[in-house]
Amino acid sequence: MTLYEAIFCRRSVRSYRMEAIDKAILENIPKFMEEVTPLFPEIKTQLKIIDRVEKKEKVSGLTNVRAPYYAAFYSEKKERSDMNAGFLMEYLSLYLESRGLGTCFLGTASKKYKEEEEAGRSFVMILAFGKPKNAAGRKDYDVNRLSLEKLCAYKESPKAQIRQLLEAARLAPSAMNVQPWRFVVYENRIHVFSKKPMDAKGMAGKYTEFNFGVMFANVMVAAEELWVDVDLIRLGNITHMSLPNNQYVLSILLKP
């Protein structure tokens, strides 16, 4: 299974078999992550794998998901660092899904390491993963997402590639499944807006920026699969414009 195919199969798995996975998959995670180009490469990050099978490592916080492994992500705190984290962790989630494993983002669990704090990196998110007790994938009818008609304002008839990028974006997971994104769509570009301010408070608002990183990862995976070049860029001539009650985030531009 490719990463692109994993977008359409992935679901949040909350029940796992507490047994080891293929060591080759575990050993390949750092190599895979090194090959992913971050949204913001200047932000220093670190990923740590927490082994609950052999090492019996523990995590803190509230979690109702007992998994054999957790991937804990740490990052410098800079502008858009949470978006960068969401982007990278969704790539990891899709990689694990493509290897037949289940995953689930855990917003209420945490794990602190002294060495990460000393390096100036703060904990961001944990991803549970392992062999699911039941089938890891989902059927099309299992997708609990808003339709593109509800997520998009069409200004022009989009190219086929834009429609495919939008579908990948639509299927992205988000905290409490709030789907905070809205899209203004043209023939060869998508302007992305947030329903709430990126710094909104509350449980769902806390992860808004992270959610957008996850969604942009789906877009980039789809672009790679379709062999189209895209730019994720913040346009100055859009920032002063508004979709009623929405905040401009970034634009997705098809390169000529």
Side-chain angles (χ1 to χ4, degrees), residues 230-243:
V230 301
D231 273 334
L232 297 180
I233 188 170
R234 187 171 175 82
L235 299 174
N237 64 335
I238 300 295
T239 55
H240 70 281
M241 300 175 65
S242 66
L243 190 64

Side-chain angles (χ1 to χ4, degrees), residues 45-187:
T45 63
Q46 182 65 47
L47 182 78
K48 289 183 176 291
I49 303 300
I50 301 169
D51 187 338
R52 298 289 307 283
V53 179
E54 296 183 7
K55 298 181 180 180
K56 307 296 182 182
E57 295 181 82
K58 296 181 179 181
V59 298
S60 304
L62 177 64
T63 174
N64 58 356
V65 177
R66 183 170 176 264
Y69 302 95
Y70 297 119
F73 195 89
Y74 304 83
S75 174
E76 286 185 299
K77 282 299 180 184
K78 292 184 174 180
E79 184 178 5
R80 296 292 188 256
S81 59
D82 282 357
M83 186 181 294
N84 190 61
F87 184 86
L88 292 170
M89 290 199 78
E90 175 67 353
Y91 262 89
L92 174 59
S93 178
L94 294 175
Y95 165 74
L96 294 169
E97 177 75 33
S98 74
R99 295 301 181 268
L101 301 176
T103 66
C104 183
F105 290 108
L106 303 180
T108 55
S110 65
K111 179 73 171 181
K112 292 186 178 181
Y113 289 95
K114 184 178 180 181
E115 62 267 28
E116 293 304 320
E117 293 178 348
E118 291 175 345
R121 291 186 288 264
S122 301
F123 170 79
V124 181
M125 180 67 70
I126 277 181
L127 180 74
F129 69 95
K131 297 178 183 178
K133 284 187 177 180
N134 302 308
R138 67 183 177 194
K139 305 293 185 181
D140 287 344
Y141 54 76
D142 290 330
V143 182
N144 181 22
R145 300 288 190 273
L146 293 174
S147 66
L148 286 179
E149 286 68 27
K150 292 183 178 179
L151 293 172
C152 300
Y154 293 95
K155 300 298 184 181
E156 296 175 352
S157 179
K159 291 183 176 180
Q161 297 99 321
I162 288 290
R163 290 186 181 277
Q164 289 169 288
L165 297 183
L166 285 168
E167 182 61 17
R170 185 183 77 88
L171 293 175
S174 57
M176 300 182 183
N177 201 28
V178 294
Q179 294 177 264
W181 34 76
R182 293 296 182 266
F183 309 108
V184 177
V185 183
Y186 290 81
E187 179 188 21

Side-chain angles (χ1 to χ4, degrees), residues 184-199:
V184 177
V185 183
Y186 290 81
E187 179 188 21
N188 62 351
R189 63 194 185 278
I190 306 165
H191 300 310
V192 182
F193 290 79
S194 174
K195 287 175 61 181
K196 294 183 177 180
M198 299 297 281
D199 57 354

